[in-house]
Amino acid sequence: MVADRLLLSCPISQFLNPPDGGRILVNAESSESQLDTTMQSVKVVVVGAGVVGLSTAVCIAETLPHCSVTVISERFTPDTTSDGAAGILFASQFPDIPLEQQQRWFKESFDHLLAIAQSSKSGETGVILSSGCQVFKEVPADKRPFWAEHVLGFRFLSDRELKRFPDHKFGQAFTTIKCECTTYLPWLEKRFGKAGGKILNGKVSDLQRLADTYDVIVNCSGLGAHSLVGDAKMHPIRGQILKFHAPWVKNFVRDGDGHTYIYPGVNSVTLGGTRQAGDWRLEVDVGDREGILERCFRLEPALHGGKVVGKWVGLRPGRESPRVEVEWLRTAGGQEVPLVHNYGHGGFGVTLAWGTALDALGLVRQSLLQHPPMAKL
Ligand SMILES: Cc1cc2nc3c(=O)[nH]c(=O)nc-3n(C[C@H](O)[C@H](O)[C@H](O)COP(=O)(O)OP(=O)(O)OC[C@H]3O[C@@H](n4cnc5c(N)ncnc54)[C@H](O)[C@@H]3O)c2cc1C
Ligand SMILES: O=C([O-])CC(=O)C(=O)O
C-alpha cells in the first residue's frame, strides 16, 4: 500500500524509533487538507494502524473537524494482525464490560459494515455478507448469543439440517459480515486521508513524550500495549489459519468450540484455527496445519478436491476484556493530556472495531471539553 502514500525524506520526530531509516509517510490524497489541518488547533495522535487504530482515526477525523489527526504506527496494512484475520463478525461475551455496551459495540460495527456490504462499495472495501452456521457438540447453556438480534435471520438449525453434522447436537444459522482487512484497511487509510489525516511510520517507545507535541493521545496498539503501556494483562493468543481454494464452498461453518472454522471469502476460503494463549510463535506449525485440515475436512466434506494456497499465523491481542478508557498524563510543563486507550479486542477486533472507535471518539470529545488544551508548537 506504500504506492498510495507519498514518501517524504524528513527527519523523524524525537519520540519515534524509526524502524526503517526514519521514513515519514504522508497520504498523497491528504496534501491539500494538510494545509488546513496545520491551521487547526487540537492535535490528536492515534498510535496503531490495525483495524482498531484506523477505525478510531477515521471516526475522530470525520467527526471533529477542529482536530488535526495523525496516525503513527510501526506496521501498516498488509502487515498488521488485522490483515490476517478471517474478518467474520462474531463475538463471545467479555466478563468485565456491561452487556449493554458489548451489544452496542456489536450493533454499531455490524450496522456500519452492513451499509457498506449492501452498497456499491462492497467490492472496493472487501466487506461482504456471509451466510452459514455455527454447530455445537453439546447444547450450549446460552442458545441465543447476545448478538443474535443484530445479525440477520438468526435461527436454530432444524433436525434435518443437523443431519449434515453427525458429531453435533445443536446449531445456529445466520447471515453475518466478512470484512477482509487486506482490502478494508487500504480503503480506511484513503478515507482517513480524505478527512485530512496524516500518517507517520515509526515505533513509539514513550507515550509520555508524545504528550509534549499532541493534545490528545489515543492508544490503539493492540498486543503492542503489553510493552508500550506495560499492561501485564495483555497476552498473545496465537492463531494459525490456511487459505484454501474451493470456490464451490459458499457457506461458512464454525464449530462452537472456536477451534474449527471454514469461512468462504472473496478470493479464497479461510480454514482455521488455533487459539494458543501465551504462545508468541509467529512461525507456521506443521502439526497445527495438519490438525486444521483434518478438522475442517471432517466438518465440511465438500472441501475435498480443493487445495491450500496460503498460510498465516497471527497473535490476537488477548485481554480478559478490551480496555476502552481514558487516563491523564502530565507534561513537564504541568499540562494534563488525555490518553485514551482502545486495545485488547482478542479474537473480535474486526467485529467490534467501529463500536469501540465510537466510544473512543466519545472519550476524546469528553476529555477536550473537560480540559480544553493549551496551544502547543
Ligand atoms: C487467526 C486469526 C483469525 C482472526 N479472525 C477474526 C475474525 O474472524 N473476526 C474478528 O473480529 N477478529 C478476528 N481476529 C482478531 C483480530 O485480528 C484482532 O482482534 C484485531 O486485528 C485487533 O486489531 P488491532 O488494530 O487492535 O491490532 P493490530 O491489527 O495488531 O494493530 C496494532 C497496530 O499497532 C501498531 N503498534 C503496536 N505497538 C506499537 C508501537 N509501540 N508504536 C507504534 N505502533 C505500534 C502495530 O504496528 C499495528 O499497526 C483474528 C485473529 C487471528 C490471529
Ligand atoms: O473464532 C472465529 O470464528 C474467528 C476468529 O474470530 C478468530 O479466530 O479469532
Side-chain angles (χ1 to χ4, degrees):
M1 279 304 108
V2 164
D4 284 340
R5 305 188 194 113
L6 193 65
L7 272 67
L8 304 176
S9 306
C10 306
I12 196 87
S13 316
Q14 47 166 348
F15 44 77
L16 301 176
N17 282 339
D20 58 357
R23 282 186 310 161
I24 296 192
L25 310 180
V26 180
N27 194 308
E29 291 188 31
S30 72
S31 50
E32 245 184 49
S33 37
Q34 269 173 51
L35 293 175
D36 297 335
T37 55
T38 52
M39 312 286 284
Q40 291 164 350
S41 52
V42 180
K43 293 181 181 169
V44 179
V45 64
V46 177
V47 179
V51 69
V52 174
L54 288 179
S55 302
T56 307
V58 165
C59 282
I60 299 170
E62 290 184 354
T63 315
L64 303 179
H66 58 292
C67 292
S68 84
V69 187
T70 302
V71 166
I72 300 180
S73 191
E74 184 178 16
R75 289 175 193 278
F76 294 90
T77 183
D79 299 321
T80 70
T81 308
S82 304
D83 284 285
I88 205 81
L89 264 68
F90 172 92
S92 293
Q93 207 171 316
F94 294 111
D96 303 329
I97 309 272
L99 187 57
E100 170 278 320
Q101 188 173 9
Q102 299 188 52
Q103 278 174 326
R104 186 164 44 74
W105 286 348
F106 192 100
K107 181 175 167 33
E108 283 166 349
S109 295
F110 194 90
D111 290 352
H112 162 72
L113 291 172
L114 181 64
I116 294 175
Q118 291 179 332
S119 77
S120 59
K121 292 196 165 55
S122 174
E124 66 186 281
T125 54
V127 180
I128 57 170
L129 287 172
S130 180
S131 299
C133 61
Q134 173 167 232
V135 290
F136 296 79
K137 295 195 186 76
E138 297 302 331
V139 181
D142 190 6
K143 291 187 190 168
R144 250 189 112 72
F146 74 89
W147 41 263
E149 65 189 85
H150 303 312
V151 294
L152 304 178
F154 183 93
R155 64 177 176 81
F156 300 150
L157 288 188
S158 66
D159 290 344
R160 191 165 161 223
E161 287 170 311
L162 265 174
K163 281 200 178 121
R164 211 182 123 201
F165 305 104
D167 300 337
H168 298 78
K169 292 189 180 141
F170 175 78
Q172 305 153 334
F174 52 95
T175 295
T176 186
I177 286 164
K178 192 169 188 296
C179 171
E180 305 203 339
C181 281
T182 46
T183 312
Y184 182 60
L185 294 190
W187 182 80
L188 274 186
E189 274 192 13
K190 279 193 202 140
R191 186 168 158 177
F192 178 58
K194 281 187 187 142
K198 283 180 276 184
I199 295 185
L200 305 184
N201 180 208
K203 179 170 182 169
V204 176
S205 49
D206 185 357
L207 289 174
Q208 182 70 45
R209 291 179 75 179
L210 286 182
D212 295 332
T213 307
Y214 294 97
D215 302 306
V216 182
I217 303 168
V218 187
N219 173 20
C220 302
S221 59
L223 188 56
H226 182 265
S227 54
L228 185 58
V229 291
D231 185 341
K233 291 184 186 158
M234 284 303 294
H235 59 276
I237 306 173
R238 182 178 178 278
Q240 182 165 323
I241 52 158
L242 299 171
K243 294 286 177 196
F244 200 78
H245 180 75
W248 54 89
V249 174
K250 302 288 186 200
N251 295 116
F252 73 79
V253 188
R254 181 185 201 269
D255 191 307
D257 68 12
H259 290 283
T260 310
Y261 49 76
I262 295 133
Y263 291 128
V266 176
N267 294 317
S268 63
V269 185
T270 300
L271 304 185
T274 69
R275 306 184 108 84
Q276 295 137 317
D279 189 340
W280 289 88
R281 284 177 307 139
L282 277 168
E283 305 75 42
V284 171
D285 183 292
V286 178
D288 285 342
R289 175 196 147 105
E290 296 312 311
I292 290 168
L293 285 174
E294 193 187 317
R295 295 193 303 278
C296 286
F297 276 53
R298 185 168 174 83
L299 191 60
E300 180 50 280
L303 288 169
H304 284 286
K307 65 171 187 211
V308 175
V309 290
K311 49 198 184 247
W312 181 76
V313 174
L315 304 179
R316 299 176 185 87
R319 201 172 189 273
E320 207 162 54
S321 296
R323 185 176 184 201
V324 184
E325 64 182 14
V326 63
E327 68 173 303
W328 291 84
L329 303 178
R330 185 181 283 272
T331 64
Q335 285 181 39
E336 301 264 26
V337 174
L339 167 58
V340 174
H341 296 288
N342 183 10
Y343 66 83
H345 297 61
F348 312 112
V350 184
T351 305
L352 303 174
W354 199 260
T356 65
L358 289 173
D359 273 16
L361 165 67
L363 292 171
V364 168
R365 204 197 308 245
Q366 198 184 320
S367 307
L368 289 171
L369 286 171
Q370 202 177 327
H371 261 285
M374 293 163 71
K376 284 190 172 129
L377 291 178

